[in-house]
Amino acid sequence: MKILPYQPDQTNLAYSVGMTLDRFIKHKQSDFPFASGELSQLLRDIALAAKIVNRETNRAGLANIGGAFGQTNVQGEEQQKLDVIANIRFMRALSKGGEVCAIVSEEEDAVIDLQNASGKYVVAIDPLDGSSNIDVNISIGTIFSIYRRKTPAGSPITEEDVMQPGNQQVAAGYVLYGSSTMLVYTTGCGVNGFTYEASLGEFFLSHPEMNAPKDGNIFSINEGLELEWDSIVQAYIRSCKERKMQSRYIGSLVADFHRNLLKGGIYIYPSTQKNPNGKLRLLYEANALAFIIEQAGGKATDGSQRILDIQPTSLHQRTPLFIGSEVMVDEAVKAYSRATAIPAV
Ligand code: AHM
Ligand code: MG
């Protein structure tokens, strides 16, 4: 029997498809201080649910799963059918794996106890963010945060396990269902982005070691609410315009965040008269993106405090959010520290 060592192909006839998410996760497992493979498996479970949600969003126009579900969620917002479907998909994937003990979801009033005696992780998730864009074929996303539970596995879930500040996240990420579908995540060792290749059913590493530009030229804010902002945000946005910066606002947090992460810019959802604490939720929207932007060299604040240091007090708590390139976020923070906000009338 003749045995030959493998020689990598030199012909260039078959281009390399690159590294799959699965292989990347396995390769990086040793970065985790308590590597036991469970966090890796949890990330794979999320990726699988993301593929299914990607399929559902792609066929929504054909499958009568667009439009309103007919109920409101705990925040009083109208649920779309795809919000509900995505929630079911992620819940199912996370409950089957056995690594997760509890889930906080935008679509669920209470903490969901998965009754996995061995589950070490708590997941906070917005299964489908940007609901208002679902029916009009505009990018939407999934946002997730992963925490290690504080109490021993097998014991009842406590508030201490769930109400952890963002600086305790062990991993966080988002999936962007856009012109291509991407999964971007961090485990605290930089940020990596993967693009979904639908014909192969795999995410491939396409954006290794992502870095946010230190400064940017884009501001993203719902300008329709200008009269509801405080005077500092009004002045800050005016100064962006005076400097001839670009206004870009999709109204899907993941899509706005992703663009600014790649191109440099700031996303702001400030406090408004209607929503004095802003609109975005700390546990399953702001924290994950704050972890990612810091890992990519940017910043995230509520105007006075680092997002990751906010101690949550309630599940669906909201926070003002200023997030993006370091220089732009610093400018906004300085404006707050220089002045006392005078509410607009
Ligand atoms: P949702 O979780 O109900 O989808 O709301 C969050 C979305 C974000 O994706 C987006 O940035 C923001 O709400 C847009 O809000 P507005 O329409 O007030 O500008
Ligand atoms: Mg949301």
Side-chain angles (χ1 to χ4, degrees):
M1 184 176 67
K2 194 173 164 189
I3 299 178
L4 289 173
Y6 170 66
Q7 297 287 346
D9 169 65
Q10 304 291 332
T11 64
N12 287 331
L13 282 175
Y15 71 93
S16 162
V17 292
M19 188 180 294
T20 64
L21 175 63
D22 258 14
R23 191 178 299 168
F24 184 86
I25 290 172
K26 193 166 169 217
H27 179 68
K28 288 284 175 186
Q29 194 169 305
S30 54
D31 286 352
F32 310 141
F34 310 101
S36 63
E38 286 155 304
L39 182 56
S40 301
Q41 185 53 45
L42 171 46
L43 290 166
R44 286 191 202 101
D45 293 343
I46 289 175
L48 174 62
K51 288 179 195 175
I52 300 171
V53 170
N54 178 61
R55 188 193 63 188
E56 314 269 32
T57 55
N58 279 344
R59 67 189 187 99
L62 298 170
N64 192 28
I65 49 175
F69 178 56
Q71 287 181 20
T72 53
N73 65 14
V74 61
Q75 1 250 330
E77 296 156 347
E78 187 178 62
Q79 285 180 307
Q80 305 294 306
K81 284 183 203 159
L82 272 171
D83 280 329
V84 178
I85 291 170
N87 191 45
I88 294 169
R89 291 293 181 194
F90 280 100
M91 285 279 175
R92 201 176 279 169
L94 295 172
S95 64
K96 292 265 162 63
E99 304 85 18
V100 181
C101 57
I103 301 176
V104 177
S105 165
E106 175 172 337
E107 305 305 331
E108 305 282 350
D109 184 3
V111 179
I112 304 299
D113 181 350
L114 296 181
Q115 301 183 322
N116 279 331
S118 58
K120 286 186 196 149
Y121 294 99
V122 174
V123 173
I125 189 162
D126 182 350
L128 207 56
D129 183 67
S131 305
S132 63
N133 283 326
I134 288 177
D135 277 347
V136 286
N137 224 342
I138 291 176
S139 301
I140 45 183
T142 295
I143 309 172
F144 61 91
S145 289
I146 303 175
Y147 295 85
R148 192 171 285 110
R149 67 178 295 178
K150 294 284 182 194
T151 54
S155 59
I157 307 295
T158 67
E159 217 171 285
E160 193 195 351
D161 296 321
V162 175
M163 298 293 191
Q164 300 190 46
N167 57 32
Q168 296 297 301
Q169 290 171 99
V170 292
Y174 61 82
V175 185
L176 173 62
Y177 310 99
S179 46
S180 63
T181 294
M182 282 195 69
L183 189 152
V184 174
Y185 83 96
T186 182
T187 53
C189 303
V191 180
N192 291 282
F194 300 78
T195 300
Y196 186 56
E197 161 60 277
S199 64
L200 298 174
E202 292 277 11
F203 284 100
F204 287 93
L205 181 62
S206 52
H207 295 63
E209 291 165 29
M210 297 170 83
N211 283 306
K214 198 171 165 57
D215 198 358
N217 193 36
I218 295 173
F219 62 93
S220 309
I221 187 167
N222 183 345
E223 289 188 79
L225 301 176
E226 180 176 1
L227 301 181
E228 290 200 38
W229 306 335
D230 65 40
S231 58
I232 295 165
V233 174
Q234 288 172 338
Y236 179 75
I237 295 299
R238 204 175 312 121
S239 89
C240 290
K241 291 178 180 174
E242 282 161 6
R243 288 179 281 165
K244 308 259 182 287
M245 292 184 175
Q246 301 293 308
S247 167
R248 294 284 182 272
Y249 190 72
I250 296 168
S252 273
L253 176 59
V254 170
D256 281 310
F257 175 86
H258 183 72
R259 182 202 50 242
N260 292 358
L261 171 61
L262 294 181
K263 296 196 164 188
I266 188 168
Y267 173 97
I268 303 176
Y269 208 111
S271 66
T272 61
Q273 285 165 359
K274 183 176 161 213
N275 291 311
N277 294 319
K279 178 182 179 191
L280 301 172
R281 274 54 58 112
L282 177 64
L283 257 66
Y284 42 81
E285 291 175 330
N287 270 341
L289 301 186
F291 189 21
I292 292 168
I293 201 73
E294 286 199 4
Q295 283 294 313
K299 288 196 171 172
T301 166
D302 68 357
S304 61
Q305 194 181 2
R306 182 181 175 229
I307 291 290
L308 295 182
D309 289 338
I310 300 175
Q311 174 61 52
T313 52
S314 67
L315 278 190
H316 299 284
Q317 164 175 351
R318 295 172 194 265
T319 177
L321 180 63
F322 300 73
I323 190 166
S325 294
E326 181 185 351
V327 171
M328 295 186 82
V329 175
D330 280 347
E331 279 170 4
V333 172
K334 271 191 210 129
Y336 268 100
S337 59
R338 272 198 304 265
T340 310
I342 305 158
V345 283

